[in-house]
Amino acid sequence: MSNLAFAQRDLAVLWHPCTQMKDHEALPPVPIRRGQGVWLEDFEGKRYLDAISSWWVNLFGHAHPYINDAIKAQLEQLEHVILAGFSHEPAVRLAERLTHLAPPSLSRCFYADNGSSAVEVALKMSYHYWRNLGKTRKTRFVTLENSYHGETLGALAVGDVALYKETYAPLLMDVITVPSPDCFHREKGESWADYSARRFSDMEKTLAAHSEEVCAVIVEPLVQCAGSMRMYDPVYLKLLREACDRYGVHLIADEIAVGFGRTGSLFACEQAGITPDFLCLSKGLTGGYLPLSAVLTRETVYQAFYGDYATLKAFLHSHSYTGNPLACTAALASLDLFERDDVIARNRILAREMADATTGLADHPHVAEVRQTGMILAVELVEDKNTRQPYPWQERRGRQVYRHALSRGVLLRPLGDVVYFMPPYVIAPEQIRLMADVAREGIALATAD
Ligand code: PMP
């Protein structure tokens, strides 16, 4: 079947995520028949380099033989079982490994089945913890400007990307939003650390004023991914941890996008040397194979829910596919690969290759900034380099880069006018150069007039 014939079948029945479906009149969805390593192959045999790890989930490439084999073996044992009242080996083993690998003191693992649900779990657990302690005035959350935590109503409420949030504002709980430490806004010559530390004064003031009514502060450590890959310095997390302790407020670290080696360490929080009260994990958790999420927390939180049934303190939250054995097995296999292949060290070399492959791009007349944290590199396009005036959003310049890259066999999916790379960790140096060259061409085309 041709790409077009398949697209027609697709468009007759599917409603795609995060898509204005009318856009597909001009550019039909790309049907993928198979994946191998960094490559995706369409119905006509054309290949695309998956430079965004299929929405940031894929760590070790598509159809990795080791993960495939692990899932096949588990499939013969147990595909799924209810996790309430029952248990199974992959769920326990994964919880053992995650609590061992995570920052110290995160000794309890609660599973859900996608990122947004993990955020909902953390928000509810934090509120419920304070309630169980009799602190019933604590009902609010603090979030950062430009943050993103998912699309379900609770997760959307603590996010701040207008494109996704504004329409649904009347449905959302009220949160306290604090300016972001995002270093795009630093003064000329100011270091990331100085800017991020300076920005902390807003958070300090907010906590001083509202700590009595605040359950938790939620942040994406180091990189606000869906918020255009904006980045900040670990010092902010250090200051935030200290302040949360001082004011008696939880810290929720949403590492759904940045966890598992993306930022240069296994977890981004490690770079600040902190332990959050809740650590939300998903996406790369299963190496990009199956939906799964986990919220890790402290024993003190767990104990606040522990008691006789009649105290009604239990956390009665559930999702049907919680801790699915196949997904846990994929996660265990993915963790094996981290150990076996010394991935974090190898990623340092790849990150340098990404920087080298984009040398000079910062001098482009329509590039405001090239920024990088580990295995995430972003190029921000603007209309006016001096004032950093963005292009009118209606011009959809980033989409021109997307279209050009597709024609050249690379899957880039700019966030607005921010072109970024977030490739699988098995990418080879020459593939990094291809990805960067295609982005360069696309940027030249998209900014030509
Ligand atoms: N938090 C962050 C930081 C994310 O990047 C995402 C997904 N882009 C989510 C939460 C939501 O995860 P999911 O799409 O699995 O619901």
Side-chain angles (χ1 to χ4, degrees), residues 196-210:
S196 293
R198 181 155 69 81
R199 270 273 80 104
F200 191 75
S201 60
D202 297 305
M203 179 64 82
E204 179 79 40
K205 274 185 228 142
T206 300
L207 290 176
H210 296 283

Side-chain angles (χ1 to χ4, degrees), residues 120-179:
E120 302 284 346
V121 165
L123 297 174
K124 284 177 68 179
M125 253 186 200
S126 172
Y127 158 78
H128 198 162
Y129 168 89
W130 296 116
R131 188 176 186 277
N132 281 354
L133 261 57
K135 302 213 170 189
T136 50
R137 283 186 59 207
K138 282 183 176 284
T139 57
R140 303 187 73 190
F141 294 94
V142 174
T143 185
L144 293 176
E145 271 178 6
N146 189 47
S147 56
Y148 178 94
H149 297 288
E151 305 282 350
T152 54
L153 293 178
L156 196 60
V158 293
D160 185 52
V161 178
L163 182 65
Y164 309 127
K165 183 171 179 177
E166 237 164 48
T167 308
Y168 306 101
L171 307 184
L172 303 177
M173 69 174 162
D174 184 34
V175 298
I176 302 169
T177 307
V178 171

Side-chain angles (χ1 to χ4, degrees), residues 56 114-116 148-150 220 254 256-257 283:
W56 323 337
N114 65 75
S116 302
Y148 178 94
H149 297 288
E220 294 157 274
D254 174 353
I256 288 161
K283 288 193 185 277

Side-chain angles (χ1 to χ4, degrees), residues 52-61 67 94 98 101 113-115 225 254-263 266-267 280-294 327-338 343 422-425:
I52 58 155
S53 299
S54 286
W55 253 343
W56 323 337
V57 301
N58 189 291
L59 301 189
F60 298 109
I67 305 178
L94 182 59
L98 289 175
L101 289 168
D113 51 20
N114 65 75
C225 292
D254 174 353
E255 294 220 17
I256 288 161
V258 297
F260 299 103
R262 262 304 152 198
T263 65
L266 188 62
F267 299 112
C280 300
L281 303 172
S282 190
K283 288 193 185 277
L285 172 60
T286 62
Y289 266 69
L290 288 158
L292 180 70
S293 60
C328 289
T329 299
L332 287 164
S334 176
L335 291 179
D336 287 347
L337 294 177
F338 270 102
V343 172
M422 203 150 159
Y425 305 156

Side-chain angles (χ1 to χ4, degrees), residues 263-277:
T263 65
S265 46
L266 188 62
F267 299 112
C269 282
E270 289 170 28
Q271 295 183 41
I274 62 149
T275 299
D277 301 295

Side-chain angles (χ1 to χ4, degrees), residues 158-357:
V158 293
D160 185 52
V161 178
L163 182 65
Y164 309 127
K165 183 171 179 177
E166 237 164 48
T167 308
Y168 306 101
L171 307 184
L172 303 177
M173 69 174 162
D174 184 34
V175 298
I176 302 169
T177 307
V178 171
S180 167
D182 163 12
C183 291
F184 185 70
H185 301 295
R186 72 195 185 283
E187 298 293 323
K188 251 199 169 72
E190 188 175 22
S191 73
W192 281 30
D194 285 349
Y195 181 74
S196 293
R198 181 155 69 81
R199 270 273 80 104
F200 191 75
S201 60
D202 297 305
M203 179 64 82
E204 179 79 40
K205 274 185 228 142
T206 300
L207 290 176
H210 296 283
S211 64
E212 289 302 309
E213 49 171 340
V214 168
C215 303
V217 178
I218 181 166
V219 295
E220 294 157 274
L222 302 188
V223 188
Q224 297 186 311
C225 292
S228 302
M229 299 293 167
R230 292 291 180 80
M231 300 173 183
Y232 61 92
D233 191 272
V235 70
Y236 192 87
L237 296 173
K238 214 187 258 288
L239 295 170
L240 180 58
R241 175 70 274 176
E242 287 164 11
C244 285
D245 287 342
R246 247 184 293 124
Y247 290 108
V249 164
H250 284 143
L251 173 56
I252 303 173
D254 174 353
E255 294 220 17
I256 288 161
V258 297
F260 299 103
R262 262 304 152 198
T263 65
S265 46
L266 188 62
F267 299 112
C269 282
E270 289 170 28
Q271 295 183 41
I274 62 149
T275 299
D277 301 295
F278 301 92
L279 177 66
C280 300
L281 303 172
S282 190
K283 288 193 185 277
L285 172 60
T286 62
Y289 266 69
L290 288 158
L292 180 70
S293 60
V295 178
L296 304 189
T297 190
R298 298 171 187 272
E299 204 60 24
T300 42
V301 172
Y302 177 77
Q303 287 300 336
F305 291 79
Y306 198 89
D308 291 335
Y309 186 81
T311 61
L312 295 178
K313 282 182 171 178
F315 189 59
L316 301 181
H317 181 107
S318 61
H319 298 285
S320 311
Y321 284 98
T322 289
N324 172 263
L326 296 172
C328 289
T329 299
L332 287 164
S334 176
L335 291 179
D336 287 347
L337 294 177
F338 270 102
E339 277 175 25
R340 192 188 78 183
D341 300 342
D342 201 3
V343 172
I344 302 295
R346 199 171 161 268
N347 279 0
R348 266 181 225 125
I349 299 166
L350 292 176
R352 217 170 308 130
E353 296 275 357
M354 278 166 50
D356 289 349

